Amino acid sequence: MNEKGFTLIEMMIVLLIISVLMLIALPNMTKNNSLVKSLGCEATIDLVQGQVGAYEAEKNTIPTVEQLFTEGYIDTKECPNKQPILIDSEGNVSVSPVE
């Protein structure tokens, strides 16, 4: 008889290799996820800062986050990491400190 297929040992070796790759990959993916959220927040702050300048040029007043949102200048009031965006009285954009 000439049966073709995988033996139990071959299947166990494949599962072992996949398990080792997952153990290596998962910690790196979670570490990079926090880095991506941090960089995403910086990009969001830069975008909102630009929209503050555009609003100020058009309306000659410094907007609030709510005004930018309701008038369609921005599409979110928070960073990807869920920190609320703040605009001070001089038009500088920042995020609420983490509590």
mmCIF file of all heavy atoms in Angstrom, residues 16-46:
data_model
loop_
_atom_site.group_PDB
_atom_site.id
_atom_site.type_symbol
_atom_site.label_atom_id
_atom_site.label_comp_id
_atom_site.label_asym_id
_atom_site.label_seq_id
_atom_site.Cartn_x
_atom_site.Cartn_y
_atom_site.Cartn_z
ATOM 1 N N LEU A 16 3.943 22.873 16.271
ATOM 2 C CA LEU A 16 4.989 23.435 17.128
ATOM 3 C C LEU A 16 5.614 24.666 16.476
ATOM 4 O O LEU A 16 5.808 25.696 17.133
ATOM 5 C CB LEU A 16 6.064 22.384 17.413
ATOM 6 C CG LEU A 16 7.261 22.874 18.229
ATOM 7 C CD1 LEU A 16 6.829 23.158 19.659
ATOM 8 C CD2 LEU A 16 8.384 21.861 18.199
ATOM 9 N N ILE A 17 5.907 24.591 15.205
ATOM 10 C CA ILE A 17 6.489 25.731 14.489
ATOM 11 C C ILE A 17 5.519 26.911 14.481
ATOM 12 O O ILE A 17 5.904 28.054 14.750
ATOM 13 C CB ILE A 17 6.892 25.320 13.053
ATOM 14 C CG1 ILE A 17 8.069 24.343 13.101
ATOM 15 C CG2 ILE A 17 7.239 26.548 12.210
ATOM 16 C CD1 ILE A 17 8.399 23.700 11.775
ATOM 17 N N ILE A 18 4.250 26.660 14.224
ATOM 18 C CA ILE A 18 3.247 27.734 14.224
ATOM 19 C C ILE A 18 3.137 28.358 15.617
ATOM 20 O O ILE A 18 3.057 29.582 15.761
ATOM 21 C CB ILE A 18 1.885 27.197 13.738
ATOM 22 C CG1 ILE A 18 1.974 26.868 12.249
ATOM 23 C CG2 ILE A 18 0.773 28.200 14.004
ATOM 24 C CD1 ILE A 18 0.752 26.165 11.699
ATOM 25 N N SER A 19 3.162 27.544 16.662
ATOM 26 C CA SER A 19 3.083 28.051 18.033
ATOM 27 C C SER A 19 4.271 28.948 18.362
ATOM 28 O O SER A 19 4.109 30.007 18.973
ATOM 29 C CB SER A 19 3.025 26.898 19.027
ATOM 30 O OG SER A 19 1.885 26.112 18.808
ATOM 31 N N VAL A 20 5.461 28.524 17.979
ATOM 32 C CA VAL A 20 6.660 29.336 18.234
ATOM 33 C C VAL A 20 6.579 30.663 17.486
ATOM 34 O O VAL A 20 6.891 31.721 18.039
ATOM 35 C CB VAL A 20 7.937 28.549 17.843
ATOM 36 C CG1 VAL A 20 9.161 29.448 17.848
ATOM 37 C CG2 VAL A 20 8.141 27.377 18.787
ATOM 38 N N LEU A 21 6.129 30.638 16.237
ATOM 39 C CA LEU A 21 5.982 31.884 15.483
ATOM 40 C C LEU A 21 4.967 32.817 16.125
ATOM 41 O O LEU A 21 5.162 34.031 16.169
ATOM 42 C CB LEU A 21 5.596 31.575 14.039
ATOM 43 C CG LEU A 21 6.693 30.925 13.181
ATOM 44 C CD1 LEU A 21 6.132 30.545 11.817
ATOM 45 C CD2 LEU A 21 7.881 31.854 13.042
ATOM 46 N N MET A 22 3.869 32.268 16.636
ATOM 47 C CA MET A 22 2.864 33.092 17.310
ATOM 48 C C MET A 22 3.431 33.702 18.590
ATOM 49 O O MET A 22 3.160 34.858 18.903
ATOM 50 C CB MET A 22 1.619 32.250 17.637
ATOM 51 C CG MET A 22 0.849 31.809 16.421
ATOM 52 S SD MET A 22 0.073 33.162 15.554
ATOM 53 C CE MET A 22 -1.256 33.508 16.656
ATOM 54 N N LEU A 23 4.208 32.941 19.343
ATOM 55 C CA LEU A 23 4.819 33.464 20.571
ATOM 56 C C LEU A 23 5.785 34.603 20.270
ATOM 57 O O LEU A 23 5.954 35.518 21.074
ATOM 58 C CB LEU A 23 5.542 32.344 21.329
ATOM 59 C CG LEU A 23 4.641 31.344 22.037
ATOM 60 C CD1 LEU A 23 5.470 30.185 22.581
ATOM 61 C CD2 LEU A 23 3.870 32.017 23.153
ATOM 62 N N ILE A 24 6.426 34.555 19.122
ATOM 63 C CA ILE A 24 7.352 35.619 18.730
ATOM 64 C C ILE A 24 6.585 36.828 18.194
ATOM 65 O O ILE A 24 6.900 37.966 18.516
ATOM 66 C CB ILE A 24 8.342 35.100 17.671
ATOM 67 C CG1 ILE A 24 9.278 34.061 18.288
ATOM 68 C CG2 ILE A 24 9.147 36.246 17.063
ATOM 69 C CD1 ILE A 24 10.124 33.317 17.282
ATOM 70 N N ALA A 25 5.555 36.592 17.414
ATOM 71 C CA ALA A 25 4.858 37.680 16.716
ATOM 72 C C ALA A 25 3.919 38.481 17.619
ATOM 73 O O ALA A 25 3.843 39.698 17.510
ATOM 74 C CB ALA A 25 4.079 37.112 15.533
ATOM 75 N N LEU A 26 3.162 37.839 18.489
ATOM 76 C CA LEU A 26 2.142 38.540 19.274
ATOM 77 C C LEU A 26 2.700 39.651 20.171
ATOM 78 O O LEU A 26 2.133 40.743 20.186
ATOM 79 C CB LEU A 26 1.301 37.551 20.074
ATOM 80 C CG LEU A 26 0.307 36.753 19.243
ATOM 81 C CD1 LEU A 26 -0.439 35.759 20.106
ATOM 82 C CD2 LEU A 26 -0.671 37.669 18.535
ATOM 83 N N PRO A 27 3.766 39.437 20.935
ATOM 84 C CA PRO A 27 4.283 40.549 21.753
ATOM 85 C C PRO A 27 4.723 41.746 20.908
ATOM 86 O O PRO A 27 4.512 42.896 21.294
ATOM 87 C CB PRO A 27 5.471 39.939 22.491
ATOM 88 C CG PRO A 27 5.189 38.485 22.519
ATOM 89 C CD PRO A 27 4.457 38.189 21.239
ATOM 90 N N ASN A 28 5.312 41.500 19.754
ATOM 91 C CA ASN A 28 5.732 42.595 18.881
ATOM 92 C C ASN A 28 4.532 43.354 18.340
ATOM 93 O O ASN A 28 4.577 44.571 18.193
ATOM 94 C CB ASN A 28 6.584 42.067 17.728
ATOM 95 C CG ASN A 28 7.955 41.624 18.182
ATOM 96 O OD1 ASN A 28 8.456 42.104 19.189
ATOM 97 N ND2 ASN A 28 8.543 40.697 17.466
ATOM 98 N N MET A 29 3.453 42.654 18.033
ATOM 99 C CA MET A 29 2.268 43.319 17.498
ATOM 100 C C MET A 29 1.627 44.202 18.556
ATOM 101 O O MET A 29 1.191 45.307 18.259
ATOM 102 C CB MET A 29 1.271 42.279 16.980
ATOM 103 C CG MET A 29 1.747 41.628 15.690
ATOM 104 S SD MET A 29 0.818 40.185 15.139
ATOM 105 C CE MET A 29 -0.848 40.585 15.407
ATOM 106 N N THR A 30 1.563 43.777 19.807
ATOM 107 C CA THR A 30 0.956 44.592 20.853
ATOM 108 C C THR A 30 1.829 45.796 21.166
ATOM 109 O O THR A 30 1.318 46.878 21.446
ATOM 110 C CB THR A 30 0.686 43.773 22.123
ATOM 111 O OG1 THR A 30 1.895 43.186 22.566
ATOM 112 C CG2 THR A 30 -0.338 42.693 21.865
ATOM 113 N N LYS A 31 3.150 45.635 21.128
ATOM 114 C CA LYS A 31 4.051 46.760 21.367
ATOM 115 C C LYS A 31 3.893 47.795 20.261
ATOM 116 O O LYS A 31 3.822 48.993 20.528
ATOM 117 C CB LYS A 31 5.495 46.266 21.438
ATOM 118 C CG LYS A 31 6.504 47.373 21.707
ATOM 119 C CD LYS A 31 7.917 46.834 21.737
ATOM 120 C CE LYS A 31 8.384 46.672 20.313
ATOM 121 N NZ LYS A 31 9.769 46.317 20.155
ATOM 122 N N ASN A 32 3.827 47.357 19.031
ATOM 123 C CA ASN A 32 3.683 48.272 17.907
ATOM 124 C C ASN A 32 2.322 48.948 17.900
ATOM 125 O O ASN A 32 2.200 50.072 17.427
ATOM 126 C CB ASN A 32 3.921 47.535 16.591
ATOM 127 C CG ASN A 32 5.376 47.151 16.416
ATOM 128 O OD1 ASN A 32 6.259 47.742 17.025
ATOM 129 N ND2 ASN A 32 5.618 46.150 15.597
ATOM 130 N N ASN A 33 1.302 48.307 18.430
ATOM 131 C CA ASN A 33 -0.027 48.889 18.474
ATOM 132 C C ASN A 33 -0.029 50.158 19.326
ATOM 133 O O ASN A 33 -0.634 51.162 18.951
ATOM 134 C CB ASN A 33 -1.030 47.874 19.021
ATOM 135 C CG ASN A 33 -2.451 48.288 18.793
ATOM 136 O OD1 ASN A 33 -2.737 49.093 17.927
ATOM 137 N ND2 ASN A 33 -3.350 47.739 19.591
ATOM 138 N N SER A 34 0.646 50.149 20.473
ATOM 139 C CA SER A 34 0.704 51.354 21.305
ATOM 140 C C SER A 34 1.510 52.448 20.621
ATOM 141 O O SER A 34 1.173 53.631 20.724
ATOM 142 C CB SER A 34 1.292 51.035 22.681
ATOM 143 O OG SER A 34 2.625 50.588 22.560
ATOM 144 N N LEU A 35 2.543 52.090 19.889
ATOM 145 C CA LEU A 35 3.328 53.074 19.141
ATOM 146 C C LEU A 35 2.485 53.698 18.041
ATOM 147 O O LEU A 35 2.506 54.918 17.849
ATOM 148 C CB LEU A 35 4.577 52.413 18.537
ATOM 149 C CG LEU A 35 5.453 53.296 17.658
ATOM 150 C CD1 LEU A 35 6.068 54.421 18.489
ATOM 151 C CD2 LEU A 35 6.532 52.470 16.996
ATOM 152 N N VAL A 36 1.701 52.896 17.346
ATOM 153 C CA VAL A 36 0.836 53.407 16.281
ATOM 154 C C VAL A 36 -0.195 54.376 16.846
ATOM 155 O O VAL A 36 -0.450 55.434 16.273
ATOM 156 C CB VAL A 36 0.155 52.234 15.540
ATOM 157 C CG1 VAL A 36 -0.993 52.715 14.677
ATOM 158 C CG2 VAL A 36 1.168 51.490 14.699
ATOM 159 N N LYS A 37 -0.790 54.038 17.989
ATOM 160 C CA LYS A 37 -1.770 54.935 18.601
ATOM 161 C C LYS A 37 -1.120 56.251 19.020
ATOM 162 O O LYS A 37 -1.709 57.313 18.871
ATOM 163 C CB LYS A 37 -2.431 54.265 19.796
ATOM 164 C CG LYS A 37 -3.463 53.241 19.396
ATOM 165 C CD LYS A 37 -4.194 52.705 20.586
ATOM 166 C CE LYS A 37 -5.245 51.703 20.147
ATOM 167 N NZ LYS A 37 -6.007 51.169 21.248
ATOM 168 N N SER A 38 0.091 56.188 19.528
ATOM 169 C CA SER A 38 0.801 57.404 19.925
ATOM 170 C C SER A 38 1.076 58.288 18.718
ATOM 171 O O SER A 38 0.836 59.505 18.748
ATOM 172 C CB SER A 38 2.109 57.036 20.626
ATOM 173 O OG SER A 38 2.904 58.170 20.821
ATOM 174 N N LEU A 39 1.579 57.687 17.641
ATOM 175 C CA LEU A 39 1.853 58.461 16.430
ATOM 176 C C LEU A 39 0.561 58.958 15.800
ATOM 177 O O LEU A 39 0.514 60.059 15.244
ATOM 178 C CB LEU A 39 2.652 57.619 15.441
ATOM 179 C CG LEU A 39 4.078 57.275 15.861
ATOM 180 C CD1 LEU A 39 4.711 56.330 14.845
ATOM 181 C CD2 LEU A 39 4.915 58.517 16.037
ATOM 182 N N GLY A 40 -0.504 58.177 15.902
ATOM 183 C CA GLY A 40 -1.794 58.596 15.393
ATOM 184 C C GLY A 40 -2.314 59.807 16.140
ATOM 185 O O GLY A 40 -2.928 60.710 15.547
ATOM 186 N N CYS A 41 -2.064 59.871 17.438
ATOM 187 C CA CYS A 41 -2.495 61.025 18.224
ATOM 188 C C CYS A 41 -1.707 62.268 17.822
ATOM 189 O O CYS A 41 -2.279 63.347 17.691
ATOM 190 C CB CYS A 41 -2.326 60.735 19.716
ATOM 191 S SG CYS A 41 -3.141 61.939 20.766
ATOM 192 N N GLU A 42 -0.416 62.129 17.614
ATOM 193 C CA GLU A 42 0.393 63.270 17.169
ATOM 194 C C GLU A 42 -0.097 63.779 15.814
ATOM 195 O O GLU A 42 -0.185 64.995 15.599
ATOM 196 C CB GLU A 42 1.874 62.869 17.080
ATOM 197 C CG GLU A 42 2.524 62.619 18.418
ATOM 198 C CD GLU A 42 3.950 62.137 18.280
ATOM 199 O OE1 GLU A 42 4.585 62.397 17.242
ATOM 200 O OE2 GLU A 42 4.428 61.496 19.226
ATOM 201 N N ALA A 43 -0.420 62.878 14.920
ATOM 202 C CA ALA A 43 -0.919 63.277 13.601
ATOM 203 C C ALA A 43 -2.271 63.977 13.719
ATOM 204 O O ALA A 43 -2.533 64.963 13.026
ATOM 205 C CB ALA A 43 -1.023 62.061 12.687
ATOM 206 N N THR A 44 -3.117 63.489 14.611
ATOM 207 C CA THR A 44 -4.428 64.107 14.818
ATOM 208 C C THR A 44 -4.269 65.514 15.368
ATOM 209 O O THR A 44 -4.959 66.449 14.939
ATOM 210 C CB THR A 44 -5.287 63.254 15.776
ATOM 211 O OG1 THR A 44 -5.431 61.947 15.212
ATOM 212 C CG2 THR A 44 -6.648 63.873 15.994
ATOM 213 N N ILE A 45 -3.349 65.698 16.317
ATOM 214 C CA ILE A 45 -3.091 67.032 16.869
ATOM 215 C C ILE A 45 -2.622 67.977 15.777
ATOM 216 O O ILE A 45 -3.083 69.124 15.683
ATOM 217 C CB ILE A 45 -2.063 66.955 18.018
ATOM 218 C CG1 ILE A 45 -2.693 66.258 19.227
ATOM 219 C CG2 ILE A 45 -1.557 68.342 18.405
ATOM 220 C CD1 ILE A 45 -1.703 65.933 20.328
ATOM 221 N N ASP A 46 -1.710 67.521 14.923
ATOM 222 C CA ASP A 46 -1.228 68.358 13.813
ATOM 223 C C ASP A 46 -2.360 68.722 12.858
ATOM 224 O O ASP A 46 -2.457 69.865 12.406
ATOM 225 C CB ASP A 46 -0.107 67.646 13.050
ATOM 226 C CG ASP A 46 1.183 67.540 13.848
ATOM 227 O OD1 ASP A 46 1.326 68.281 14.842
ATOM 228 O OD2 ASP A 46 2.032 66.706 13.484
#
